[in-house]
């Protein structure tokens, strides 16, 4: 898929309907845990999955996916229901069997109009059905799927899901199951497990309260990010060779291994802190989503598709974030990840101790959610892109996602950002300056 400067196209809705499970199912209400009620997941998450036209392309992808959807919902029946608010304001899920909203659309252009989805253009929002921003939560479907046919034979599957029902890994599991049913499987290879009850709170103890108090107090003297009038979804690419140079350099500095994610988080943290001109005496944090499924004791079962994500906040004084070596930040990030023990996670659930404050900087890792494995019968997607958009523009400030680059750029990763264009350009310059130091040092060895 080649880049193009053109980003204008028209989308015509062919059909919009509810797709219920193909078998009748009982109607009852399901419990949602504190992890499903925390402020950070009370959002819609959206993704575009791009499938290129080829000899094996589906003759009618919308028909194939719609029929498979009715079959897979027999196993993922809660997703055909609706969210409901209890008297205390918390959410639960009513299994109504109403179905998933399915939209079929035609696009008057070829996939080349999308380029590599490096920048979110206004036309792109036509590919995704969106409920009004003031819609009641009871009226918003847990999942919406829109299949967009392009004139080249390719298609884009746009998925919108309520994060209060399942996290990215959960929806990735669902989509892989949907793809399997589209390819003729009798049932999904991974059996879905609801089991939100495993995350019920225990009896609150003094120890629990102290852990939560410590978490809240640790955010004091933190820099409060401004509210931007304009934010744009843009992206930068990091090639694997450069990441390897940085990783090798950091390992020499701290004599310890580190992951690619920890390097990217440290780069984003340091570069953004410089660009945002945060006062040097204030705390600055980077919040990153951690899949805590295996951190619980016992671990959440295989096939669990609910929210297993917890926000981890790595914090330091702005002066140190800017001036210390990258290995210093990597070490803080590693320690923050290690602090998410079973006891800490349980104590947070016990006390609903989730902060509703906006993070200074946030980063999510989309590489392992499973979207790149979703195959409806014509192969895996050639590109995947998260898309966050409300009526007034992107709903995230200083937010970053770490994803795989398009298939044709298999030697790189992509970092997507939501921030004003001028700040983003400066962040990109800073990241290149930081990584270039490691590249230069490696060439001297």
């Amino acid at each position: 898929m080649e880049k193009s400067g053109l980003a204008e196209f028209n989308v015509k809705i062919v059909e919009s309907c509810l797709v219920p499970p193909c078998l009748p199912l009982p109607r009852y209400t399901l419990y949602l845990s504190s992890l499903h009620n925390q402020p950070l997941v009370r959002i819609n998450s959206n993704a575009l999955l791009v499938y290129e036209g080829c000899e094996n392309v589906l003759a009618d992808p919308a028909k194939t996916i719609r029929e498979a959807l009715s079959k897979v919902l027999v196993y993922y029946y809660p997703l055909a229901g609706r969210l409901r608010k209890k008297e205390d304001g918390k959410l639960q899920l009513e299994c109504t069997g109403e179905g998933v909203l399915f939209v079929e659309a035609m696009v008057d252009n070829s996939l080349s109009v999308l380029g590599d989805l490096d920048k979110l253009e206004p036309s792109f929002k036509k590919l995704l059905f969106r409920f009004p921003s003031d819609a009641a939560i009871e009226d918003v479907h847990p999942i919406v799927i829109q299949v967009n046919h392009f004139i080249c034979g390719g298609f884009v599957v746009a998925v919108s899901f309520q994060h209060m029902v399942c996290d990215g890994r959960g929806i990735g599991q669902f989509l892989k199951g949907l793809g399997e049913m589209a390819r003729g499987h009798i049932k999904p290879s991974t059996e879905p497990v609801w089991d939100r009850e495993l995350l019920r709170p225990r009896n609150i103890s003094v120890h629990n309260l102290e852990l939560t108090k410590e978490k809240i107090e640790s955010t004091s003297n933190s820099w409060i990010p401004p509210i931007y009038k304009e934010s744009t979804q843009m992206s930068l690419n990091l090639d694997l060779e450069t990441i390897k140079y940085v990783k090798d350099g950091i390992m020499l500095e701290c004599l310890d291994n580190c992951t690619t994610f920890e390097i990217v988080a440290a780069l984003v943290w340091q570069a953004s802190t410089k660009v945002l001109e945060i006062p040097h005496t204030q705390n600055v944090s980077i919040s990153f989503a951690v899949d805590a499924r295996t951190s619980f004791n016992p671990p959440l079962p295989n096939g669990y598709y609910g929210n297993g994500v917890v926000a981890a906040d790595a914090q330091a004084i702005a002066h140190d974030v800017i001036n210390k070596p990258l290995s210093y930040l990597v070490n803080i990030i590693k320690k923050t990840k290690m602090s998410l023990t079973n006891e800490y996670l349980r104590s947070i659930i016990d006390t609903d101790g989730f902060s509703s404050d906006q993070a200074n900087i946030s980063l999510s890792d989309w590489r392992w959610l499973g979207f790149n494995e979703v195959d409806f019968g014509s192969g895996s997607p050639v590109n995947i892109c998260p898309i966050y958009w409300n009526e007034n523009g992107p709903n995230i400030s200083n937010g970053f996602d770490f994803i795989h680059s398009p298939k044709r750029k298999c030697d790189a990763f992509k970092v997507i950002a939501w921030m004003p264009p001028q700040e983003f350009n400066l962040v990109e310059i800073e990241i290149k300056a930081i990584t270039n130091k490691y590249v230069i040092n490696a060439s001297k060895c």
Side-chain angles (χ1 to χ4, degrees), residues 55 84 107 145 156 197 218 288 306 313-314 333 438:
E55 293 182 0
R84 298 288 185 256
V107 182
I145 295 176
V156 172
E197 294 80 8
S218 68
F288 49 92
D313 295 310
I333 292 166
Y438 288 91

Side-chain angles (χ1 to χ4, degrees), residues 217-231:
E217 288 179 348
S218 68
T219 63
S220 62
N221 193 38
S222 292
W223 174 75
I224 300 175
I227 298 175
Y228 297 112
K229 293 182 179 179
E230 178 191 6
S231 290

Side-chain angles (χ1 to χ4, degrees), residues 341-362:
T341 62
N342 175 70
E343 182 57 37
Y344 178 77
L345 294 171
R346 288 290 178 185
S347 70
I348 294 298
I349 292 172
D350 293 343
T351 58
D352 287 342
F354 297 101
S355 172
S356 61
D357 294 335
Q358 182 181 8
N360 300 157
I361 302 160
S362 62

Side-chain angles (χ1 to χ4, degrees), residues 186-401:
I186 298 175
K187 62 179 182 179
S189 58
T190 299
E191 182 178 351
V193 176
W194 179 262
D195 280 3
R196 304 327 194 243
E197 294 80 8
L198 292 174
L199 301 178
R200 284 188 182 276
R202 306 168 299 182
N203 292 328
I204 299 174
S205 67
V206 174
H207 180 55
N208 297 146
L209 293 173
E210 286 302 316
L211 278 171
T212 303
K213 181 180 178 182
E214 180 182 340
K215 180 180 188 294
I216 295 172
E217 288 179 348
S218 68
T219 63
S220 62
N221 193 38
S222 292
W223 174 75
I224 300 175
I227 298 175
Y228 297 112
K229 293 182 179 179
E230 178 191 6
S231 290
T232 302
Q233 179 173 325
M234 306 178 76
S235 62
L236 62 93
N237 290 288
L238 296 170
D239 64 87
L240 296 179
E241 187 176 15
T242 297
I243 291 291
K244 183 181 183 303
Y245 284 132
V246 178
K247 184 177 291 189
D248 291 344
I250 289 177
M251 288 174 64
L252 287 175
E253 291 174 11
C254 61
L255 301 177
D256 194 8
N257 291 323
C258 59
T259 67
T260 299
F261 175 80
E262 289 161 357
I263 290 172
V264 172
L267 286 169
V268 165
W269 194 9
Q270 188 169 78
S272 299
T273 303
K274 287 182 180 179
V275 169
L276 296 172
E277 298 181 346
I278 299 172
H280 283 208
T281 58
Q282 289 192 305
N283 289 334
V284 58
S285 66
I286 181 167
S287 177
F288 49 92
V290 175
D291 184 353
R293 283 169 171 76
T294 59
S295 298
F296 286 100
N297 185 19
L300 298 180
N302 182 45
Y304 173 84
Y305 64 101
N307 268 303
V309 170
V310 175
D313 295 310
Q315 298 189 35
I317 300 297
H319 175 273
D320 292 343
V321 175
I322 294 171
N323 295 292
K324 296 277 189 177
L326 210 60
S327 56
Y328 172 81
L329 302 182
V330 166
N331 189 47
I332 294 176
I333 292 166
K334 289 170 75 74
K335 288 181 177 179
T336 302
K337 289 165 63 177
M338 292 174 62
S339 70
L340 299 180
T341 62
N342 175 70
E343 182 57 37
Y344 178 77
L345 294 171
R346 288 290 178 185
S347 70
I348 294 298
I349 292 172
D350 293 343
T351 58
D352 287 342
F354 297 101
S355 172
S356 61
D357 294 335
Q358 182 181 8
N360 300 157
I361 302 160
S362 62
L363 176 67
S364 294
D365 190 349
W366 276 56
R367 294 173 302 156
W368 316 117
L369 300 185
F371 291 176
N372 59 315
E373 301 172 37
V374 178
D375 179 2
F376 298 110
S378 59
S380 57
V382 296
N383 201 3
I384 299 162
C385 186
I387 170 172
Y388 297 100
W389 209 317
N390 60 27
E391 294 302 322
N392 300 313
N395 58 8
I396 294 179
S397 293
N398 305 327
F400 297 82
D401 274 351

Side-chain angles (χ1 to χ4, degrees), residues 11-28:
V11 177
K12 180 182 178 181
I13 302 299
V14 176
E15 183 183 8
S16 178
C17 63
L18 286 176
V19 178
C22 63
L23 296 176
L25 296 164
R27 181 166 180 160
Y28 52 93

